[in-house]
Amino acid sequence: MSDSRAEDEAAIKAVLVDSYKAWEAGDADGMVANYTVDATAIMTGSLRDSREVIRQSMALGFEGPLKGSSTYNKQLSIRFVGRDGAIVVSESAILFAGETEVLDQRKVNATWVLEKRDGRWLIAAYHNSPVLAPGH
């Protein structure tokens, strides 16, 4: 008997890796390929309330300040919510073009909410918040 949670965990990790690779390629369409149509993203105080709005925002970023950038991502946890839901917590940061080291002041804690639809894990929501120095 296979361990479906292990398979689900691997599938979720693959969804996130695909998203990170699309970011590095500056590919807004690839970035949202595994998002639900009604996905939401809350970043830097802004609400992006659909996959298309998220795609448009990323496309503008990749043409401007995010051109040539990549991301640092460290998965902290995966927790399943029922059979078809999962919450991933990660630490992330943007590395702008030419940067090789992650700056602590740019690190964020991120929450990813994924939903399994028709046997496929998709990102339903994303939110990040700056990492504060210890003691804050």
Side-chain angles (χ1 to χ4, degrees), residues 94-95 99-103 106:
I94 297 172
L95 289 137
E99 293 182 336
T100 57
E101 291 188 34
V102 176
L103 300 176
R106 266 200 235 133

Side-chain angles (χ1 to χ4, degrees), residues 6-25:
E7 291 171 10
D8 285 336
E9 192 168 316
I12 288 167
K13 287 178 181 178
V15 164
L16 296 177
V17 166
D18 286 349
S19 180
Y20 306 147
K21 286 180 180 176
W23 179 301
E24 193 164 329

Side-chain angles (χ1 to χ4, degrees), residues 22-50:
W23 179 301
E24 193 164 329
D27 177 5
D29 292 327
M31 182 83 199
V32 299
N34 292 317
Y35 279 63
T36 62
V37 171
D38 58 348
T40 56
I42 298 174
M43 302 180 293
T44 321
S46 69
L47 170 62
R48 295 161 190 169
D49 59 359
S50 72

Side-chain angles (χ1 to χ4, degrees), residues 35-122:
Y35 279 63
T36 62
V37 171
D38 58 348
T40 56
I42 298 174
M43 302 180 293
T44 321
S46 69
L47 170 62
R48 295 161 190 169
D49 59 359
S50 72
R51 177 175 60 203
E52 180 56 22
V53 171
I54 297 165
R55 187 201 67 74
Q56 290 172 0
S57 174
M58 294 310 299
L60 287 172
F62 292 146
E63 291 171 9
L66 299 177
K67 187 173 187 157
S69 66
S70 62
T71 59
Y72 152 81
N73 299 285
K74 178 182 175 185
Q75 181 186 310
L76 302 176
S77 66
I78 294 180
R79 177 170 43 101
F80 290 98
V81 182
R83 292 199 46 77
D84 298 325
I87 298 170
V88 177
V89 176
S90 64
E91 180 182 86
S92 303
I94 297 172
L95 289 137
F96 290 98
E99 293 182 336
T100 57
E101 291 188 34
V102 176
L103 300 176
D104 285 341
Q105 63 266 31
R106 266 200 235 133
K107 286 183 181 177
V108 296
N109 287 317
T111 303
W112 305 79
V113 178
L114 288 92
E115 178 182 10
K116 195 173 190 179
R117 293 187 182 177
D118 300 319
R120 184 173 164 222
W121 284 100
L122 298 170

